[in-house]
Every structure is written in C-alpha cells, then in structure tokens.
Amino acid sequence: MNEISIDIEDVTVAYHGKVALESASLQLKTGTICGLIGMNGAGKSTLLKAIMGFVKPTKGRILINKLPIRQVQKNNLVAYVPQSEEVDWNFPVSVHDVVMMGRYGYMNLLRIPKFHDKNIVQESLERVEMWQMQDRQIGELSGGQKKRTFFARALAQESTVLLLDEPFAGVDIKTEKMMINLLMELRQKGYTILISTHDLASIKTFCDQVVLINRTILAYGNTADVFTEENLSRTFGGSIGDLSLAKNLLTQEDR
Amino acid sequence: MDIIQWFVAPLQYEFMVKAILVSALVGVVCSALSCYMTLKGWALMGDAVSHAVMPGVVIAYILNIPLAIGAFVFGVGSVIAIGFVKAKTRIKEDTVIGLVFTGFFALGLVLISKVKSEIDLTHILFGNVLGISNDDILQTVIISVITLATLAVLRKDLILFCFDSTHARSIGLNTTFLYYVLLSLLSLTAVAGLQTVGIILVVAMLVTPGATAYLLSDNFDHITLIAMASGVFSSVIGTYISYHIDGSTGGCIVVVQTLLFIIAMIFAPKHGLLARSTKN
C-alpha cells in the first residue's frame, strides 16, 4: 500500500532567531525517490536535519511512518548519509568498522556484533563492491569509495527511510551509477528516499518525485508535473547562473 | 652506573615504590582517556577543565570531603559555564574557554592564599607524588577503576560519538549523556593527574600519549594500547629519572612523554616525517 512515510506539517525552523525554513509542509509516500532541490542556503540541510530530529522545529510537527522522531530513532527507521565534508577522514576506523556502526542500534549495551550483524555488514559491503576494501582506513579511499562506505552503513541499518545529503558530489561515474541502481532497487522494495542534490541533470532519470525549496517548500509532487522551468525559476529566482543552467538542462531533455 | 642498580636502588624507599606505582596507574588512566581527547579535538577543553578544578579542590579540602567531588563539580561546572557564555553572547568559543578557565583558576589562587589550610600551592600546581598520602592513593585507585570501567563499557559508543555524533544521534544514542560522561571522566582524571604532575602539566597526560599513538596506528584498539604503554613507560621512567637527578617528578614524566612523541613524529612508519618525506 502506498502509505504516507514522511509527514511534515507546517514546520518552521529558526536558528538564533533567524528563520531557515518557514511553514514547510510535505507528504511523501512509501516507495519513492524524491529529489530535494534548492540553492545553497535555501534550507535543504535544515529540512533533512529537522526530519532526523537534530533541530527542533519552532512550530509544526514531523512524523515518520506515523511515529515521532524519538521512536523513529529507537526503531532504526531512518538512515542518514552525510556529506563528505562532515566526516573526519583521519579518524582511526576501517571501512568495516564504519558499516558495523550501522548495526549498533540493534546491539546490546556493549555493542558486540552477533553472527547476523556480521552477515548484514558483509552483504551491505558486497552490494557497494567494498568488501575487498573492508580493512582500509577510511582516509585511504577515493571519493566514490568513501561515499559507498557510508551508503553501505545506511544499508546495514536496514532503515526504510533514507536521507542522502549531496550523495553525488565529488564521486566517479561508476559510483553514481551503482548508487542510483541500488536506490531504484530499494524503491521497488518500498523504501522512501529523499536526496538533496545540485545535479539537476540526473533528476529526471531516477527521481519520481521532487521537492523545490527556497526558505519554504515551493512545490512538490511528481517530477513530470513539478520539475518545470517556471517552478525552477521560482526556486532559483535571482540566481542567473543556476537558472540558465536549469533552462539548458530542460531544453536538452526535451530535444 | 650499573643499570640494575639504577632501577633497584630507589625501591628501598617506600615513598618511591608508592610514587612509581601511583604514577604508573595515573599514566594508564590518563592515556586511555587521552585517545578520546585527541580524536575528539578536546585538548583545549582538557586544559580548561584541569585548571578549572582548582577552586573545587581547595573547597573540598576546606570541607574535608574527597577532592574528586570538588573537582568534579567545578570541572563540569566550568564546561556548563563555557557553553552558557558561548550560547548567550557573540564571543567565539576559544575566547570563552580561555576566559572561563583562567577565571576559575584565579578564584582557586585567591582561595588558597586567603583560607588558612594545609594546602601547599606548589603541590597543586606541580604535583607531589613523592609525598602522596595513603588517602590520596586510595582516591586515585577509585578514580582509576571508575574511569577504566566506564571506558570499557561505553567504548564503542564513545568512539562513535567522537567519530560521528550525527550518526550516534540518528540511531537513538543519547549524545548529551555521552558528552557529559566524557567530561566527567576528564574532571576525575584531572584530579588523579593533579597528584602526580600537578594542574599545569596534567593536560600533557591527557593529550600527549594519545597524540603519540595516533601517529603510530590507524586502528583505535592499537592506538589505545600504544597510548597506555607509552603513558606507563613515561610515568615510571620519569619518576626514576627525577629520583636520580633530584628534579621535578611531574616535569620528568612529561619530558619523557614529549620525547616519545618527538620520536614517533620523526620515525612513525606511516605518518612520521621520514616516511612522509620519502613518499613525496
């Protein structure tokens, strides 16, 4: 059944009195890949953080699979793949260690992995073709391999809601293709996937839904209906560079 | 001088046996914690907390309660104060840290100078492990057991907290709790370190072994073991050296630690200066 998975109602987030996101409302059904589009500073990361429960909305409510965020976290319902800049790549952990961290929520206090946890970690690493690299310290990886490691962690977490912040920034074509294919597989299984991205070119190829954001949610819905030149110009209003880029992409697609 | 004699001779004095054992224990505990301090980037915080415990120590003396309790209250209190000033004003964090810990430290100095007590300022500032009392030894042992047990139980959660607190929160770990656990351990070990090397140098015990080990390995478990080994080695050898040269014990311990760091910095197999220069 296509039930509502991410349910955001009239959410306002402010940092130190400055409003970063105002009266945002959004409902995403299960089995969706949704692209989150907006300029830098438009509130994409704020929206993702609000969904994860890292920032508390000053107004409104957020439910995931009908549950409030505390319950969501306790039940491992949401996994988050961070931007590469947010990670300390010199930290003494291996690829395998990082993916195992995706299983902590299922373990006892001492976080001793069971056979099942080890299996899932291996499976997740194999799906992103990183099993051979499992003992590498994470700083030794290429940009694409780094991304795949954190994607494997999200897979190991077995959360049916995935949030990815700029997953394709600085990765190779192979990684991008592999991740898109995996995301489409997960959509088939009923996962809800929300991706913030700058890469307008690839939106149409795998996102069935889009959300346009500029301080508030301007529009959302089926890509075919919402990903229009008019809406994009509202999203990127004033930013000529982005706008003409967007126009170019749209006309290329139409040809 | 005969090398065996060099090691055996000091052991005829009970105070030396005690000093060596206590500084070894403090070396182990501070080194274990130093791995988290180094990786979390909390060196400045360690410095702040170790100085800020001073008025707590003095007040605990006056009230005749364990020093650790006074240190704990003021150590954690200083960090709460830092967080408060940072959140409520436009002043940057490093300024706030510098401001708060010197304020607390100065308060401690005033208290020591005005309150009639048996406290010797130099012992607090520079340590007095050669004259350590049995009560203080007991306190050090208790602090050590609490710290090592906590680190053992919460090890994986604390590593995750240091590495990726975002993920820790997203899987429902209480990161505020982990933050205060690390902070409390820091305050407690500051008291333990205070006995051996004194307030001024305790930050070295809480930073240097972790930094040395971090240059030598990419594996957290190995880093912890190397740090602890280097901590114990420095404490024991430093105490011996101080006996033979009749110099400051705390100073000798930290000098040995620093030498180990310099050796690691130059010769570390992968992250050392030599390895890096041959690679380029």
Side-chain angles (χ1 to χ4, degrees), chain B residues 134-211:
Chain B
N134 286 341
D135 281 353
D136 288 344
I137 293 179
L138 179 65
Q139 177 179 290
T140 305
V141 170
I142 292 172
I143 289 174
S144 305
V145 171
I146 292 174
T147 306
L148 293 176
T150 310
L151 288 181
V153 172
L154 292 178
R155 191 173 137 269
K156 295 237 172 122
D157 286 13
L158 287 171
I159 294 172
L160 175 56
F161 171 63
C162 292
F163 172 57
D164 188 350
S165 61
T166 308
H167 179 69
R169 280 170 79 180
S170 79
I171 59 172
L173 297 189
N174 187 341
T175 47
T176 312
F177 169 73
L178 293 172
Y179 176 85
Y180 281 104
V181 165
L182 216 45
L183 194 61
S184 306
L185 295 181
L186 177 59
S187 303
L188 287 176
T189 47
V191 181
L194 185 154
Q195 308 282 3
T196 43
V197 298
I199 275 184
I200 311 243
L201 289 178
V202 78
V203 68
M205 306 282 284
L206 289 166
V207 171
T208 311

Side-chain angles (χ1 to χ4, degrees), chain A residues 67-112:
Chain A
L67 294 172
I69 190 65
R70 281 269 148 237
Q71 305 269 4
V72 170
Q73 292 172 343
K74 289 263 180 270
N75 293 307
N76 275 291
L77 293 180
V78 179
Y80 173 73
V81 180
Q83 286 191 45
S84 293
E85 296 83 60
E86 292 170 20
V87 178
D88 175 5
W89 297 107
N90 288 316
F91 203 93
V93 286
S94 69
V95 169
H96 189 273
D97 292 337
V98 169
V99 180
M100 191 57 91
M101 286 170 182
R103 302 295 306 165
Y104 280 12
Y106 298 96
M107 296 181 195
N108 60 15
L109 180 67
L110 292 174
R111 317 287 173 205
I112 297 167

